[in-house]
Amino acid sequence: MTALSAQASDINSAAVDLQPVLAAVDAVLGAQPRPVELHEPRFGARERELVLDCIDTNWVSSAGQYVTRFEQMVAKVAGARHAVAIVNGTAALHAALLLEGVKPNDEVLLPAITFVATANAVSHAGAVPHFVDSTWDTLGIDPVALDKHLEAIAVQRDGGWVNRQTGRRLRAVVPVHIFGHPVDMAALGAVAAKYGLVVVEDATESLGSTWNGQGCGTFGHSAVLSFNGNKIVTTGGGGMILTDDDDHARHARHFTSTAKKSHAWAFEHDEVAYNYRLPNINAALGCAQMERLEGMVAAKRELAERYLQAFSAFPWAKIYREPKGAQSNYWLNTLVLDRDYAAERDRLLAALHGHGIRARPLWTPMHMLPMYRDCPRAPLAVAEDMSARCINLPSSPFLAEAGRTNANQR
Ligand SMILES: *Cc1c(COP(=O)(O)O)cnc(C)c1O
């Protein structure tokens, strides 16, 4: 950069007043003590009671009544026939891909815009992540772009589809419901069917979200949830595999519990398997949290509405609104800067942090990370644009209450 252009861009930056953004966020967060974290859990008497019950009864590990209870509560809310509790979301994705028949050297299609765990799980399975573009319609994988890309690179071979550029089999597609906003699963499902791809939903961010009235996590052959500390419901660490397929569920349970055959004392195992089941003590926390889910989704939707209002007349940035036909859990609220203001993103993040607001940028797109730089990919113009000008704002459910208090005071 020449001295002159450096100076010119400084002048441009200085011309944009960031104060109105801070004021709009302040109007939403009210008197909430600073700093305000991006997403925090809340625990109460019920969480304490159920976790203590595990300790008092000695049932803390990977067997116990809370695991079953937690699975039943989650299956019911999501609308899935079966739920299998797993030690975390990444392990659940790993196991789900293996259970769907993903083999070493297969390719698995996924959006470049996702948390790194989605790509890591593909790698853990020995497969190769193949990155696809996203759409502003949902923030998730773009079914139209996926179809166009596969038309260009996929060829039929031995009853399946192969990437003609790499010779590897195209096995599965993993749509991710980004920040709780559902992917258009009808369009995605049609493309997957056309190319014989298994659909494994990464629904880790979307528990409580629905699309056309149907719960996220019930569209693919199987789906995965996460109960990490920053998710809408937490078990400390935890995950879940959802499926409607009875045999698949049975195998998932077996495969994630060291494939031990049920017997009063004998240790018989019938395949190489994983120790991936969720401990009872974590499930107990999950049971207490699930009792709050409905209220938390309502609070998060209320907070989102407040953010939408605060930025509705804003000249150069808007809050992302849920896609048509969707009821999003609004896991994380997203501020989208106008294209001309993308260069302000990092200054704005610094200003927000300086103001005690723990905002963050979108994840670095997967194809820009060193270990995934050489992976196959579609054109990723939207993914790069999205990551350049989106900012996540604090979205804990209890912040809706802070806003209510503030509104009453005004
Ligand atoms: C949280 C998350 C995961 C992984 O879940 P962990 O429980 O943290 O392992 C996977 N994919 C996405 C998109 C996530 O947000």
Side-chain angles (χ1 to χ4, degrees):
M1 199 187 264
T2 65
L4 192 65
S5 70
Q7 204 178 19
S9 80
D10 284 351
I11 288 164
N12 281 342
S13 290
V16 178
D17 182 9
L18 301 177
Q19 208 53 46
V21 179
L22 304 187
V25 175
D26 277 346
V28 173
L29 298 179
Q32 188 67 28
R34 304 297 193 264
V36 183
E37 301 298 336
L38 191 65
H39 203 286
E40 280 185 291
R42 275 286 193 269
F43 304 115
R46 186 67 173 153
E47 280 82 356
R48 189 166 295 139
E49 179 196 341
L50 299 194
V51 170
L52 269 179
D53 183 50
C54 292
I55 293 169
D56 292 342
T57 58
N58 242 6
W59 283 93
V60 296
S61 199
S62 47
Q65 56 146 339
Y66 287 112
V67 175
T68 310
R69 199 153 121 195
F70 183 47
E71 288 176 342
Q72 286 166 352
M73 290 176 93
V74 171
K76 186 154 184 272
V77 162
R81 243 172 103 79
H82 303 283
V84 181
I86 305 290
V87 74
N88 62 55
T90 309
L93 271 168
H94 178 209
L97 292 168
L98 294 175
L99 287 159
E100 295 289 2
V102 170
K103 297 275 187 287
N105 219 33
D106 282 348
E107 288 184 12
V108 174
L109 298 139
L110 69 155
I113 295 289
T114 184
F115 178 55
V116 71
T118 321
N120 284 347
V122 172
S123 300
H124 297 332
V128 177
H130 185 145
F131 302 117
V132 183
D133 213 359
S134 302
T135 168
W136 284 104
D137 291 349
T138 66
L139 300 183
I141 191 168
D142 182 350
V144 176
L146 174 65
D147 192 25
K148 206 170 142 201
H149 180 58
L150 289 174
E151 262 174 28
I153 63 122
V155 285
Q156 228 162 351
R157 192 177 298 164
D158 307 329
W161 290 81
V162 164
N163 179 348
R164 79 166 98 224
Q165 295 166 340
T166 62
R168 288 189 289 246
R169 178 172 291 269
L170 299 161
R171 181 75 64 167
V173 59
V174 185
V176 186
H177 308 297
I178 303 288
F179 307 139
H181 303 304
V183 165
D184 178 346
M185 289 305 291
L188 194 272
V191 179
K194 184 171 159 190
Y195 293 96
L197 300 167
V198 180
V199 178
V200 180
E201 277 175 271
D202 182 336
T204 48
E205 302 181 356
S206 55
L207 179 62
S209 297
T210 62
W211 185 76
N212 291 338
Q214 187 179 333
C216 282
T218 63
F219 296 96
H221 183 250
S222 59
V224 163
L225 304 177
S226 166
F227 306 104
N228 190 34
N230 62 348
K231 296 300 195 317
I232 187 163
V233 161
T234 186
T235 57
M240 196 78 85
I241 296 174
L242 303 179
T243 184
D244 284 348
D245 180 331
D246 299 352
D247 290 336
H248 196 79
R250 204 171 302 121
H251 191 205
R253 215 169 282 281
H254 189 64
F255 187 63
T256 54
S257 344
T258 68
K260 185 182 179 299
K261 292 197 203 168
S262 182
H263 190 279
W265 57 81
F267 278 86
E268 293 291 344
H269 309 258
D270 57 10
E271 64 179 314
V272 177
Y274 291 84
N275 175 20
Y276 271 180
R277 291 282 273 157
L278 185 72
N280 199 48
I281 193 164
N282 299 84
L285 193 54
C287 288
Q289 287 267 289
M290 282 303 288
E291 291 173 8
R292 303 166 176 260
L293 177 66
E294 205 183 310
M296 289 200 287
V297 172
K300 286 172 75 64
R301 291 184 59 80
E302 186 183 333
L303 180 66
E305 196 49 53
R306 225 177 274 280
Y307 272 125
L308 281 159
Q309 287 303 320
F311 283 92
S312 63
F314 203 86
W316 52 270
K318 288 274 180 293
I319 297 293
Y320 188 81
R321 188 184 285 278
E322 65 191 349
K324 268 200 221 73
Q327 283 267 322
S328 176
N329 70 7
Y330 280 96
W331 175 52
L332 292 182
N333 286 283
T334 307
L335 184 67
V336 184
L337 310 185
D338 284 0
R339 212 164 256 123
D340 294 345
Y341 288 78
E344 304 302 324
R345 187 195 74 172
D346 290 351
R347 256 183 81 233
L348 181 54
L349 282 165
L352 286 162
H353 276 247
H355 199 59
I357 294 162
R358 298 273 163 84
R360 67 155 205 213
L362 217 61
W363 309 285
T364 300
M366 296 300 105
H367 66 291
M368 293 181 169
L369 299 176
M371 63 286 194
Y372 293 128
R373 201 164 278 159
D374 298 327
C375 287
R377 55 166 133 136
L380 297 170
V382 178
E384 291 181 7
D385 180 35
M386 215 175 254
S387 101
R389 58 195 181 94
C390 286
I391 285 177
N392 289 129
L393 295 172
S395 300
S396 306
F398 61 83
L399 294 175
E401 244 163 79
R404 277 200 288 273
T405 315
N406 188 48
N408 293 343
Q409 283 165 352
R410 270 185 282 140

